[in-house]
Amino acid sequence: MSLRAITAIIEDTKEMRQLLAGLRNGAYPYQVSGLSGADKAAYIAALFNKTLPRPLLLLTLGNRRAQDLALDLEVFVDNGRVCLFPDVEVLPHEEVAAPLEIMVSRLEVLEGLARGERLLVVAPIDALMRALPPVEAFRERFLTIEAGARSDLEELLAALIDLGYERVSMVEGPGQFARRGGILDIYPPTRTEPVRCEFFGDEILSLRAFDPVTQRSMAGLEEVQVGPAREFTAGTAEQIGDEILAIAAGQADRIAALKGEKAAQELLERVRGHVEKLREGVKFYGKDQYLPHFYPKLATLLDYLPEGLLVIDEPERIREHLQVWERELGEQIASLLEKGAVLPSYNANFVSPDELAQRAKAHPQVAFTTLPRKTKGGAITVQTRAPGAFHGKMKYLLREVEKW
């Protein structure tokens, strides 16, 4: 018996039928108690399998816990893809690069959900507290390149820069592109290998994947979807730059009264440098702090799965964590404002716990708790038992699994 067969057994249990009926009848947040470890992962995977064609978002505490759950779920899920949406762990104003693997994982999720793919997304709650570009704006930032089609190479190069790609002499990593005559190499972050486009004039003669180490071409491709290289890739911003400078001037007046003219001038010089780069479409670390100026309303990950199922791992622990998170973030932003390190609009880069709770109400919810708790929705308790010790004797383990 395979581990995936275990989910099939769970799918046919009385408790699962009761849970699904409760979700159909709107009895949520629905509570499932009595599970932990791999038992919980198997039950969530069975729930995912039974809620076709919806995506599912599983919220938990911390990147490490999210990684462990994603690994457990991959063993059980057979109809869909398990993806991790980690917390960036770098604040929007900080002039440092977030780890590449984290940014690639996040882009894979955003791109997949924007395309309507059926994903089981595992995310630490902190990842949802950071605002994102609106879904419509992100969805519009895709290019389709087809073999045999016609495309102006210069316009394509400009579009790649606008999508946040870095121009290099030779493509070696995700988010880069390079041109050599009529050859254009692109490495979309969500692909496992880069793509080589061969042009003759404005005709695309061929598309091929290639090895970034040896640079040798591999399999031919008919079509390639090229998504953004970064989450926030808004282009040049003339009018928005004026708005940012006006806000900075007001903030500088307050800083001058508190800290003196030197601190105020440092703030103005830094913001002017940023605005110049924004207007020219130049990449720089710390650009994300200006995200609220580009869109009238920002999104959260919840907005990327409008009909998805929301599953919460130990909601009471998450609630306690968010109370601390909100207090500490408020203190940190107040300190940054006092120092002139950020503008008053900086706060809009984050979602409050109350706002997130409001947005979550649009989604069917299931809460997994170790112990039963009071709930406004339906509830089931799943009875489990620990297996005996097998002392490395696999035939006894297999015999026990067969009994299930």
Side-chain angles (χ1 to χ4, degrees):
M1 176 186 290
S2 70
L3 290 176
R4 283 182 169 83
I6 295 175
T7 60
I9 295 172
I10 296 171
E11 290 168 27
D12 198 37
T13 60
K14 177 185 69 175
E15 291 85 358
M16 179 60 75
R17 291 194 293 271
Q18 184 179 339
L19 168 59
L20 294 172
L23 292 176
R24 285 193 296 270
N25 294 330
Y28 47 80
Y30 207 101
Q31 178 181 269
V32 179
S33 58
L35 296 168
S36 61
D39 293 337
K40 184 182 291 185
Y43 214 91
I44 293 171
L47 178 61
F48 180 59
N49 292 339
K50 292 293 286 185
T51 53
L52 283 165
R54 287 177 170 177
L56 184 151
L57 172 60
L58 170 58
L59 297 181
T60 189
L61 269 182
N63 277 346
R64 179 61 182 271
R65 171 66 175 159
Q67 290 171 355
D68 291 343
L69 276 171
L71 289 172
D72 287 344
L73 286 162
E74 284 178 351
V75 175
F76 296 108
V77 169
D78 58 1
N79 193 346
R81 189 157 57 99
V82 178
C83 294
L84 184 66
F85 189 79
D87 180 32
V88 179
E89 297 182 338
V90 174
L91 290 173
H93 73 287
E94 292 180 322
E95 297 183 358
V96 294
L100 179 61
E101 61 272 17
I102 285 181
M103 301 314 298
V104 168
S105 293
R106 289 170 62 93
L107 283 170
E108 284 177 346
V109 170
L110 296 178
E111 186 171 319
L113 292 175
R115 293 182 188 282
E117 293 181 26
R118 186 168 186 265
L119 305 181
L120 195 167
V121 181
V122 187
I125 187 62
D126 286 14
L128 268 74
M129 309 314 291
R130 182 85 165 259
L132 296 169
V135 185
E136 299 77 14
F138 188 85
R139 192 179 286 133
E140 291 170 357
R141 311 286 287 175
F142 289 92
L143 299 175
T144 300
I145 303 176
E146 298 179 69
R150 292 187 176 278
S151 178
D152 186 289
L153 182 53
E154 294 299 328
E155 290 181 1
L156 182 54
L157 296 177
L160 289 172
I161 292 173
D162 193 41
L163 288 175
Y165 285 80
E166 179 186 8
R167 185 165 188 168
V168 293
S169 59
M170 184 172 70
V171 165
E172 297 177 314
Q176 298 178 341
F177 76 94
R179 177 192 179 183
R180 298 182 306 281
I183 302 294
L184 173 63
D185 292 343
I186 313 170
Y187 201 153
T190 56
R191 285 188 58 89
T192 55
E193 67 283 311
V195 177
R196 180 160 290 152
C197 315
E198 184 179 358
F199 281 78
F200 182 75
D202 62 355
E203 182 182 358
I204 303 173
L205 295 179
S206 67
L207 294 175
R208 289 185 176 276
F210 71 93
D211 187 322
V213 177
T214 65
Q215 296 289 306
R216 291 182 178 176
S217 296
M218 298 158 58
L221 303 168
E222 293 296 319
E223 178 183 291
V224 174
Q225 296 286 329
V226 178
R230 290 172 179 79
E231 293 172 25
F232 173 34
T233 59
T236 57
E238 187 62 42
Q239 185 175 351
I240 290 171
D242 293 340
E243 173 188 303
I244 293 171
L245 289 174
I247 293 173
Q251 179 71 350
D253 289 341
R254 290 186 287 272
I255 293 298
L258 289 171
K259 299 286 185 179
E261 285 296 331
K262 182 180 179 183
Q265 285 303 313
E266 288 175 354
L267 166 65
L268 288 174
E269 288 174 10
R270 185 179 68 253
V271 174
R272 284 168 185 157
H274 288 169
V275 167
E276 184 178 348
K277 292 176 181 177
L278 287 170
R279 285 173 169 166
E280 295 175 356
V282 176
K283 165 193 166 183
F284 65 97
Y285 298 124
K287 176 182 178 179
D288 288 359
Q289 66 186 296
Y290 300 109
L291 175 65
H293 295 275
F294 283 80
Y295 305 103
K297 184 179 180 181
L298 297 176
T300 72
L301 186 59
L302 288 174
D303 299 300
Y304 281 74
L305 62 159
E307 297 182 355
L309 179 63
L310 178 59
V311 175
I312 306 171
D313 177 31
E314 302 296 343
E316 192 59 36
R317 294 181 189 173
I318 288 178
R319 194 174 296 111
E320 293 171 357
H321 169 78
L322 288 179
Q323 290 175 352
V324 177
W325 175 89
E326 187 173 30
R327 184 183 69 251
E328 292 181 345
L329 179 67
E331 293 171 353
Q332 190 169 17
I333 291 177
S335 175
L336 290 169
L337 286 169
E338 184 179 341
K339 295 174 183 175
V342 297
L343 299 181
S345 55
Y346 184 76
N347 192 59
N349 283 288
F350 303 94
V351 181
S352 72
D354 287 345
E355 182 183 352
L356 186 68
Q358 281 298 119
R359 296 193 186 201
K361 287 181 180 179
H363 297 264
Q365 298 177 40
V366 180
F368 279 79
T369 64
T370 303
L371 300 174
R373 293 181 179 273
K374 289 183 179 180
T375 177
K376 295 179 181 179
I380 57 172
T381 298
V382 182
Q383 301 293 333
T384 61
R385 63 181 178 87
F390 300 101
H391 306 291
K393 298 180 180 179
M394 293 302 295
K395 65 178 181 179
Y396 296 120
L397 170 61
L398 293 172
R399 189 179 302 166
E400 186 69 16
V401 170
E402 290 293 340
K403 292 178 183 178
W404 297 357

